[in-house]
Amino acid sequence: MVYPIVKFGDPVLENEAATVTEFDTPELHKFIEDMFESMYAAKGVGLAAPQIGVGKKIAVIDTSNGEDPEAKLVIINPKIVNVEGKQDGEEGCLSIPGFREQVRRGKRVTVRAQNLKGEAFDQTGEDLLARAFQHETDHLYGRLYITHISALKRDLMKRKIKKLQRAGDWK
Ligand code: ZN
């Protein structure tokens, strides 16, 4: 099932999500399947549960855009445990469509998370994957990428979004 993507302005995006405590249930399996389906439908490389209105610490990532089944990652209750180097690049978010900004992130990042069965693992990614680990983990703590841009740019973006909201073009 493809869920609609929640847009900026909905409080679910700016609150810390709840820790997942039950694993390997049919509901969780189905939910993860739906998350991948929703992410591919929206043409994203990552999706966090709050973006489909569910306040739980679950995110899915596929930096291959569905080309490589091995690239499919599920991170539950993730934490960033190591960051090395820096990368500058454009970043966008499915919940803030139509906007992109330069965001500085770590270049090589290790995430510690649990899988569908609740088993803990560490995974290190570079470049786009490192960016996705940081972007999605941020989501689960209620932080959007726009918290990493200048206040000036952020205010400008928020004003543009308000205009879209008033015109009924932000749903
Ligand atoms: Zn996002």
Side-chain angles (χ1 to χ4, degrees), residues 14 18 22-23 47 53-54 67 69-70 75 99 115 119 134 150 158:
E14 290 173 274
E22 276 190 66
F23 295 89
L47 184 73
V54 176
E67 299 282 314
E70 306 241 307
I75 51 173
F99 295 89
N115 64 17
E119 298 158 342
Q134 293 167 101
S150 74
K158 284 184 177 173

Side-chain angles (χ1 to χ4, degrees), residues 7-9 95-99 145-146 154-170:
K7 302 285 190 307
F8 176 76
S95 296
I96 314 177
F99 295 89
Y145 81 90
I146 59 171
R154 188 167 54 245
D155 289 346
L156 183 65
M157 197 189 274
K158 284 184 177 173
R159 276 208 297 276
K160 286 182 182 166
I161 292 171
K162 277 218 178 80
K163 225 183 245 178
L164 291 169
Q165 283 168 333
R166 275 199 299 270
D169 295 331
W170 191 262

Side-chain angles (χ1 to χ4, degrees), residues 72-89:
K72 284 177 81 171
L73 288 173
V74 177
I75 51 173
I76 302 176
N77 302 328
K79 276 192 184 104
I80 302 295
V81 293
N82 193 48
V83 178
E84 289 168 40
K86 294 259 184 281
Q87 58 170 324
D88 288 302

Side-chain angles (χ1 to χ4, degrees), residues 45-145:
V45 296
L47 184 73
Q51 293 184 276
I52 53 173
V54 176
K56 289 185 183 172
K57 287 202 174 97
I58 305 173
V60 296
I61 293 172
D62 181 355
T63 54
S64 81
N65 295 301
E67 299 282 314
D68 176 8
E70 306 241 307
K72 284 177 81 171
L73 288 173
V74 177
I75 51 173
I76 302 176
N77 302 328
K79 276 192 184 104
I80 302 295
V81 293
N82 193 48
V83 178
E84 289 168 40
K86 294 259 184 281
Q87 58 170 324
D88 288 302
E90 250 194 8
E91 201 165 311
C93 179
L94 293 175
S95 296
I96 314 177
F99 295 89
R100 295 185 75 78
E101 288 292 341
Q102 286 285 325
V103 181
R104 174 165 288 184
R105 296 282 193 182
K107 172 135 181 93
R108 188 179 155 85
V109 169
T110 304
V111 70
R112 178 165 296 161
Q114 283 164 283
N115 64 17
L116 261 164
K117 292 184 175 167
E119 298 158 342
F121 66 94
D122 282 6
Q123 186 159 348
T124 301
E126 286 185 25
D127 302 322
L128 180 59
L129 184 55
R131 188 175 288 278
F133 282 157
Q134 293 167 101
H135 182 111
E136 301 311 330
T137 301
D138 267 358
H139 265 302
L140 302 179
Y141 287 86
R143 283 192 303 267
L144 297 166
Y145 81 90

